[in-house]
Amino acid sequence: MTKVLVVDDEVSISSAVAYALRREGYTVETAGDGQEALERVESFHPDVMVLDVMMPRLSGYDVCRKLENRQRPAILLLTVKNDIVDKVLGLELGADDYMTKPFDMREIIARVKALSRRSRTVENVQQPASPQNEIRISGLVINLLNRTVHAEGKLLELTPKEFDLIALLARNPERVYSREALLEQVWDMDFAGGTRTVDIHVQRLRKKLGDLHDVIQTVYGIGYKSTESPA
C-alpha cells in the first residue's frame, strides 16, 4: 500500500489532506514542520510526500536540500507563492510537482496518484536483470524493474521523475520528444509547471550523469532525445 507523508504547519490543512487520502486507500502520516518531516521520512519511509514550503524550523526547500543524497520519496510541494522563480527553485531542489494554495482537494488527490504510480523504491534484494527489464545505452545500465540507473558502474541517485525521464528517452534512442510529449508521458497529466519543468529535470539529470551527460541531446526548438553515441 502506498504511504504518503503530509507536512504542513497548519493542522487544519494537513488533517484535511490526510483524511482525503486515507479515503482513497493510502496509508498516511502527518508532520507539523520540516524537522519532524525528516524524522518521519526515516521512520515511515513514505512513497510520496506532500510538503508545504513555508514552515517553522525547516522550510520545505530546506527539507528538499536535506533529502538530496538520500532515498527520497516523490515530492509534491505546496506553496502560497505564485512566483515562477519560487516554483523553479523547488523543482531544482528535487521536487517532482507543485501546487499553489488554495487548492482543490480533487486535484491534490490526482497529483498524489500520479506520483505514487512512479514512486516504487528499490528493494534491498535486487531482481535479476534480463533483456526485458534492462536498457543499455552509451555507458548506462537502466534496470526498469528495480528502477535503478548505473553510469559506468556507478549507481546514480535519481528522483522518480528523473528515472522516468531517462528511461523513456533511452527506450527509443534518436527519437525526438517534444517538451509537451515528455510532460504528457512522464508527468502523466496536465502539469502546472509547464515545459520549463522538463528543462529543469534534464539539467539535473545531465549533472548526475557526469561524463555521460551527452546521452541526452537537445533538439533545438523541439525538445530532447537520447543517443547511442554521445558527442
Side-chain angles (χ1 to χ4, degrees), residues 199-210:
D199 296 331
I200 292 169
H201 278 75
V202 168
Q203 290 170 14
R204 282 168 32 196
L205 255 178
R206 283 174 170 161
K207 183 177 180 180
K208 293 181 180 182
L209 289 170

Side-chain angles (χ1 to χ4, degrees), residues 85-100:
V85 174
D86 294 299
K87 296 172 181 177
V88 167
L89 175 60
L91 294 170
E92 288 178 335
L93 291 173
D96 298 281
D97 197 351
Y98 64 80
M99 290 182 62
T100 303

Side-chain angles (χ1 to χ4, degrees), residues 118 161 164-170 175-189 191 194-195 197-199 201-202 216-217 222-226:
R118 300 171 181 273
K161 285 293 183 289
D164 293 332
L165 185 55
I166 189 62
L168 175 63
L169 292 172
R175 174 179 170 179
V176 177
Y177 288 88
S178 68
R179 291 170 174 83
E180 291 78 11
L182 291 172
L183 277 176
E184 180 180 350
Q185 295 189 50
V186 174
W187 276 260
D188 201 27
M189 62 187 299
F191 182 65
T195 57
T197 300
V198 176
D199 296 331
H201 278 75
V202 168
I216 303 176
Q217 297 280 302
I222 302 177
Y224 299 96
K225 67 176 183 177
S226 67

Side-chain angles (χ1 to χ4, degrees), residues 19 23 28 38 50 53 62-63 89 128 147 153 157 181 196 223:
Y19 176 77
R23 284 177 58 89
V28 185
L38 292 175
V50 180
V53 170
D62 291 329
V63 172
L89 175 60
R147 294 180 62 84
E157 295 185 1
R196 174 63 176 154

Side-chain angles (χ1 to χ4, degrees), residues 96 118-120 122 133-135 141-150 155-171 186-187 201 204-205 208 216:
D96 298 281
R118 300 171 181 273
S119 63
R120 299 294 180 263
V122 180
N133 62 40
E134 186 175 272
I135 302 172
V141 179
I142 302 171
N143 189 301
L144 301 175
L145 184 61
N146 294 319
R147 294 180 62 84
T148 58
V149 178
H150 287 79
L155 178 64
L156 303 183
E157 295 185 1
L158 303 183
T159 67
K161 285 293 183 289
E162 290 169 350
F163 176 86
D164 293 332
L165 185 55
I166 189 62
L168 175 63
L169 292 172
R171 281 191 183 99
V186 174
W187 276 260
H201 278 75
R204 282 168 32 196
L205 255 178
K208 293 181 180 182
I216 303 176

Side-chain angles (χ1 to χ4, degrees), residues 100-146:
T100 303
K101 293 180 177 180
F103 50 80
D104 187 298
M105 194 64 72
R106 292 169 297 181
E107 183 178 2
I108 202 168
I109 290 172
R111 291 181 183 275
V112 168
K113 285 182 177 179
L115 289 175
S116 66
R117 285 194 291 267
R118 300 171 181 273
S119 63
R120 299 294 180 263
T121 56
V122 180
E123 300 294 336
N124 291 330
V125 178
Q126 299 295 306
Q127 299 293 326
S130 73
Q132 289 73 38
N133 62 40
E134 186 175 272
I135 302 172
R136 292 177 178 266
I137 178 173
S138 302
L140 294 179
V141 179
I142 302 171
N143 189 301
L144 301 175
L145 184 61
N146 294 319

